[in-house]
Amino acid sequence: CIYILYIQTNFTGYLILMPEITIIDDEAQIANLLSEIGKMAGYKTRFYTEARHFLKDTLPDGETEKKEADIIFLDLSMPDIDGIEVISELGKRQCQSTIFLMSGFDRELLNSAKHLAVEYGLNIIETINKPMDVSYLTTRLKELKDSF
């Protein structure tokens, strides 16, 4: 397994750690697209096409706390563990990430999931219907980057 650390420097030469986006979507094309959008907006990105791998890799393992992503894109319709279960687990872990919920299904599902996530204390910044507006997401991520 290879990890690449993205480090950016400002004009004075000081190191700036890039904010991180984690994408959880079973559609590899969507995950890759979001990853590229994130990189264009100045983020370090990683993605998971299986929610169980995300939960295993990113949540505390009992011995050490692992850093949360600054932003999470979460697809609600996943084959192994659905987005509602991921929301529940993130809530139990008191996740502080900024979360975008995504779905290719109806808006009602997104709204219900958002209400549930808010009840768990999660920071849902936006719900996104697929297909996504690439230019809007790029602009939105650039705006958010200044808050990290």
Side-chain angles (χ1 to χ4, degrees):
C1 192
I2 298 173
Y3 292 95
I4 299 173
L5 176 62
Y6 292 90
I7 298 177
Q8 184 177 12
T9 60
N10 63 16
F11 64 92
T12 61
Y14 291 101
L15 293 179
I16 302 170
L17 291 179
M18 296 174 73
E20 184 177 317
I21 295 175
T22 295
I23 302 140
I24 306 116
D25 194 317
D26 62 311
E27 296 177 67
Q29 290 175 326
I30 299 287
N32 277 314
L33 174 64
L34 286 169
S35 180
E36 289 304 312
I37 292 169
K39 288 175 186 174
M40 286 188 305
Y43 291 82
K44 174 183 165 187
T45 65
R46 63 181 164 166
F47 67 85
Y48 297 87
T49 56
E50 294 184 38
R52 65 186 168 90
H53 290 153
F54 162 73
L55 292 174
K56 180 182 174 205
D57 288 352
T58 60
L59 295 177
D61 61 9
E63 292 183 20
T64 59
E65 294 285 327
K66 297 178 183 175
K67 182 189 178 297
E68 295 177 345
D70 298 297
I71 295 175
I72 295 174
F73 281 90
L74 174 60
D75 183 21
L76 294 178
S77 179
M78 302 279 290
D80 61 334
I81 299 172
D82 70 23
I84 300 301
E85 290 178 71
V86 175
I87 287 170
S88 173
E89 189 61 36
L90 291 174
K92 289 176 191 171
R93 301 290 183 165
Q94 300 178 340
C95 176
Q96 298 300 306
S97 300
T98 298
I99 302 172
F100 286 82
L101 296 178
M102 307 180 297
S103 178
F105 296 106
D106 68 31
R107 195 95 180 118
E108 200 61 34
L109 173 65
L110 277 169
N111 290 333
S112 296
K114 178 180 180 179
H115 290 303
L116 177 66
V118 168
E119 285 182 26
Y120 275 112
L122 299 176
N123 179 22
I124 307 300
I125 194 157
E126 201 157 332
T127 57
I128 301 171
N129 275 351
K130 294 179 185 177
M132 296 164 267
D133 180 338
V134 171
S135 118
Y136 171 76
L137 279 178
T138 303
T139 301
R140 188 75 172 107
L141 288 174
K142 285 179 181 176
E143 292 169 355
L144 286 171
K145 187 175 176 209
D146 293 334
S147 68
F148 299 112

